[in-house]
Amino acid sequence: MSKLPINLNDLLRQRTVEGERIEYKTGWNPDAIIRTLCAFANDFENLGGGYVVIGQDCDANGQPVFPPVGLADNQLDKIQQELLAACQLIQPLYFPVLSIEEVEGRKLIVLWAPGGQNRPYKAPEAVTANKKTWRYYIRRYSSTVEAKAETEQELLSLAAKVPFDDRYNQSARIDDLSKPLMQTFLQEVGSTLAEDAPGLSVEALARQMNVAGGPTESPWPKNVGLLFFNETPERFFPAVQIDVVWFPEGAGGDRFEEKIFKGPLARMTREALSYIQRNFLRETVIKHPDRAEATRIWNFPYAAIEEALVNAVYHRSYEEREPIEVRIGNDELVILSFPGPDRSIRLEDFQAGRAVSRRYRNRRIGEFLKELEMTEGRSTGIPKILKEMAANGSPAPLFETDDDRLSFVIRLPRHPLALVPTVGGGGVAGEVTGEVTGEVERLLRAVVGEMSRQQLQSALGLKGEEHFRTAYLKPALVANVIEMTLPAVPRSSKQRYRLTALGQRWLETHQGNGAG
């Protein structure tokens, strides 16, 4: 018996409510089930099809009830035989993947219905009727509905328009799929198919995961399979890579450092994110004289970067020979991908966090990223970026595209009080870290223009030079809120100290909170 490329318990418990990709049936109901399978096969929103769970009851809110009602052993064969006959009524022919699963001691039949290769599909209104009338069906939220009027015309226009990631790649061979990579994926998502994988051929495993297909005598891998389960997908899709570029002098400067990430899609994305987090993200701690709790801010919040980069991986076109580029400067982090968002989405909706896509460019890529918990795939990416930037106190991100929607840019501004990156001795981007302590705050408020050490001490009423240097001046220099006018000769008698742009911004933000 076939097994699912997902963990059923996770499917039931984590994605609890009935929705566009899952439907629960207490028992065998051929009319309703065949209509729903037809709707999943049509995959009108390009979400990757869905699942029908037979033997699972749910409450009025669509949440599954545990333990499930289950199916008796003597029902299993009968349902499978009737299902086989009923599926032959779908036009063109379409058969879901069937698996018998056990949850809390109860048997369930789970039908996995990926988006079909030959849509549009139609099914009879009533399987058991003597005179059958065929209709087109699609999913609308948690319901299966008939496609009528303009919706039917739009569905018909999708004929033969299989998304690029779900197409067969006839320039590759089935052996171009890596069995170890497929097994690692199944283990990570907790699929029961992982137990059987060692005994399956590459072709058999790939077919069960729906990353290969075609006739038995000439099987082909699908593009999504090569993107996730081939060590060098750039052989088949040039520019499948993420370029991380650091501009220590800003985007207009002459110097930059670049690191390129390639490989299977999920690994490439994770490695790029890890590199950015390790080398470019720093936390600034700001202490306040009037309260014990310090303010902690990041130059760029990691969760916003993660969401933006995964969004680019999900929605870019793999038919275009342009890499995803992450450009990091002193004042912003920019993620550039090609092409831009669908024309149905207005840019002002992006800026307001209301962007909702009716159709996804890469339904299968999204399916795998969701299984790996790298994305939710419900148009939540933009709102989450906005939320994470606001939670960090950062300026709002900017979303840009051109009139022809040829590219998409996400700009994440640096927090105005975060420390400015510098270049370390090894050439790797780093950042000076430090705290705005009560002493440093007093010093900042005492600076007027350019002042000598003696003038600063006098303004603060301090006599001890060593104490002033240790508690006030050095921490302020380390925090990059004070700078020398002659940094090359720190002990010069003409040395003066002044506020940096960061120090000035800190004071402007903390007006009225003086230490006294």
Side-chain angles (χ1 to χ4, degrees), residues 333-345:
L333 185 148
V334 179
I335 296 178
L336 170 66
S337 59
F338 301 88
D342 188 85
R343 289 179 180 273
S344 64
I345 303 174

Side-chain angles (χ1 to χ4, degrees), residues 284-316:
T284 299
V285 180
I286 303 174
K287 291 187 177 180
H288 307 282
D290 56 342
R291 61 180 186 271
E293 185 178 355
T295 300
R296 294 178 176 273
I297 57 173
W298 290 87
N299 52 346
F300 307 106
Y302 175 77
I305 298 170
E306 180 182 35
E307 197 67 33
L309 187 57
V310 172
N311 182 81
V313 171
Y314 186 172
H315 297 295
R316 65 155 287 182

Side-chain angles (χ1 to χ4, degrees), residues 199-427:
L200 298 175
S201 66
V202 171
E203 180 185 345
L205 181 58
R207 284 184 183 273
Q208 290 219 31
M209 294 178 66
N210 195 22
V211 295
T216 304
E217 67 276 11
S218 181
W220 294 309
K222 291 187 176 183
N223 288 331
V224 68
L226 295 169
L227 285 165
F228 277 91
F229 308 122
N230 182 278
E231 290 288 351
T232 54
E234 65 273 12
R235 289 168 46 210
F236 308 99
F237 318 100
V240 175
Q241 62 190 59
I242 299 173
D243 298 350
V244 179
V245 189
W246 158 243
F247 295 91
E249 300 169 352
D254 296 328
R255 298 170 52 218
F256 69 89
E257 297 176 14
E258 181 180 56
K259 188 170 179 62
I260 297 174
F261 295 87
K262 297 182 179 181
L265 225 54
R267 183 204 299 167
M268 174 185 73
T269 306
R270 286 169 168 166
E271 288 180 351
L273 284 168
S274 177
Y275 174 77
I276 293 169
Q277 183 179 36
R278 187 171 62 250
N279 290 287
F280 301 101
L281 305 190
R282 295 293 184 271
E283 186 180 44
T284 299
V285 180
I286 303 174
K287 291 187 177 180
H288 307 282
D290 56 342
R291 61 180 186 271
E293 185 178 355
T295 300
R296 294 178 176 273
I297 57 173
W298 290 87
N299 52 346
F300 307 106
Y302 175 77
I305 298 170
E306 180 182 35
E307 197 67 33
L309 187 57
V310 172
N311 182 81
V313 171
Y314 186 172
H315 297 295
R316 65 155 287 182
S317 169
Y318 290 89
E319 296 178 86
E320 296 197 17
R321 298 184 174 223
E322 295 287 349
I324 294 170
E325 187 170 318
V326 183
R327 302 165 67 89
I328 306 172
N330 290 334
D331 295 319
E332 66 177 358
L333 185 148
V334 179
I335 296 178
L336 170 66
S337 59
F338 301 88
D342 188 85
R343 289 179 180 273
S344 64
I345 303 174
R346 299 184 307 166
L347 190 59
E348 49 265 38
D349 289 333
F350 266 108
Q351 302 291 3
R354 297 190 302 266
V356 177
S357 176
R358 288 193 60 245
R359 188 159 293 117
Y360 294 93
R361 181 174 287 121
N362 299 308
R363 67 183 183 186
R364 297 300 309 285
I365 289 175
E367 181 182 317
F368 281 105
L369 292 176
K370 278 179 273 188
E371 296 298 342
L372 293 167
E373 298 183 355
M374 295 175 71
T375 184
E376 294 179 17
R378 283 292 181 270
S379 296
T380 57
I382 299 300
K384 185 173 181 181
I385 294 170
L386 290 165
K387 177 183 175 182
E388 295 295 339
M389 292 293 282
N392 189 58
S394 301
L398 299 175
F399 306 100
E400 302 172 0
T401 187
D402 52 273
D403 292 340
D404 294 324
R405 301 295 173 99
L406 298 178
S407 64
F408 185 44
V409 177
I410 299 178
R411 296 183 183 275
L412 306 181
R414 180 176 59 84
H415 193 293
L417 301 182
L419 302 172
V420 180
T422 60
V423 178

